[in-house]
Structure formats: structure tokens, C-alpha cells
Amino acid sequence: AVMKGIPLIVIDPREIELARYADHFLQLRPGTNVALLNMMLYYIAMEGLEDKDFILSRTEGYDDFIEQLRDLDIDEMERITGVDRDKVKQAAIAYATAKNAMSFHGLGVTEHSQGTFTVQLIADLAMITGNIGRRGVGVNPLRGQNNVQGAADMGAQPHQGAGYMDVT
């Protein structure tokens, strides 16, 4: 898709091969995913690029969420991540203005000490822009074993049922 002109954002501490093809390569410091994703959400909200219809019909707590974003210290986020704020802003705008946007992440994100928060923020990015529930959009966790994600989603785990509900 990238070779056919679809924009690509790569967020990784390492300059992986895929970064060569990226329109936006955000080489953050290891362990600063939460700060960088918060920056992206901040710019989407402050630039008025949210999908307001999606937010009104399919989310809860948006006003509180925006208040927390407004309180972010972007100078501090830039210092923490090591990524220029303008690069983050450009990537955030590209994501928010895409007709269809998808995100992909691997186990490096989910197994990190802040993995839960990172995954929640990735979902927040999809929701603030309405990139859930339509063809060609979504959040796509890449797992290491064949169909482990599908099995987890369908409730085939000993401790969780469908919808990740605790079996107890």
C-alpha cells in the first residue's frame, strides 16, 4: 500500500527498515510511547480534527478526556520523547485527516511496562478520528502465534470469555 502512495507513519525507537518508506518517522526514546501518543491526541484535538459525530454517538467521557489533553505540557512531552513536536503534529494531522486510517502494533508495545496505557491510547486515536467499525480502518495488534488474537477476541482463554470479560 505504501508503494502505491498510501501515507505511512512509523513510531519506533529503532530505525527499522520500514522507516525508510515512512512519510513520518517518529524515532522516540524507548519507553516513551505514552507521551508520544498523548502528543498526537493533543494535536488532533487542538486542531479540531476529531470526528465529532463518531464521538457523540459511540464514546463516553470525551469532555473529561479533552480537559486532560489540554493540561499536557507539550514542552515536557517533547523533552521526554526526544521527538520534535512539529514532526508529531504533522503525523497526527496526517492520521486524523486520512479517509481511512489503520494502526498496527506488535508485542513490543503490549509487553512494555506501560503497554496497557499505550494500547488504550492507540484505541483513543482510532476513536477520536472515527477509525473504528468501518472497512479499511481499525486497530490491529500483531501477535506472535497464529490466530492467538482471534482466539482471545472470541473468548477462548481460560480466564476470560468473549469481550474479555472475566469468567468469574
Side-chain angles (χ1 to χ4, degrees):
V2 171
M3 302 300 255
K4 294 178 181 177
I6 301 296
L8 174 66
I9 301 166
V10 172
I11 302 172
D12 200 305
R14 304 159 299 151
E15 191 167 341
I16 60 174
E17 184 176 346
L18 194 58
R20 294 186 320 187
Y21 301 97
D23 299 86
H24 306 277
F25 174 43
L26 307 177
Q27 191 171 15
L28 72 171
R29 289 189 179 110
T32 63
N33 299 351
V34 169
L36 188 118
L37 293 168
N38 271 315
M39 287 175 77
M40 289 185 71
L41 287 159
Y42 172 88
Y43 285 120
I44 289 168
M46 296 309 118
E47 294 291 318
L49 298 174
E50 315 98 304
D51 183 335
K52 293 183 178 22
D53 291 336
F54 182 92
I55 291 165
L56 286 172
S57 65
R58 298 185 60 191
T59 67
E60 298 174 0
Y62 185 71
D63 293 334
D64 293 335
F65 179 74
I66 289 299
E67 284 305 313
Q68 291 174 8
L69 286 179
R70 283 193 180 114
D71 291 341
L72 285 179
D73 182 344
I74 293 299
D75 291 334
E76 182 67 5
M77 300 291 109
E78 182 179 47
R79 186 193 66 71
I80 289 168
T81 64
V83 180
D84 181 274
R85 71 181 70 204
D86 291 326
K87 285 185 169 186
V88 176
K89 183 177 182 178
Q90 291 169 11
I93 290 170
Y95 180 85
T97 58
K99 180 181 174 190
N100 292 330
M102 304 172 92
S103 64
F104 297 85
H105 63 274
L107 290 177
V109 166
T110 57
E111 292 180 349
H112 191 272
S113 63
Q114 296 179 341
T116 300
F117 297 118
T118 301
V119 170
Q120 288 173 337
L121 290 170
I122 291 169
D124 288 342
L125 272 173
M127 288 188 291
I128 198 173
T129 57
N131 283 299
I132 293 284
R134 298 184 286 111
R135 186 175 180 88
V137 300
V139 175
N140 301 279
L142 304 175
R143 303 286 288 260
Q145 298 166 353
N146 187 29
N147 206 27
V148 70
Q149 185 66 47
D153 291 345
M154 296 305 295
Q157 298 184 89
H159 66 291
Q160 293 176 323
Y164 295 91
M165 300 297 289
D166 189 299
V167 295
T168 59

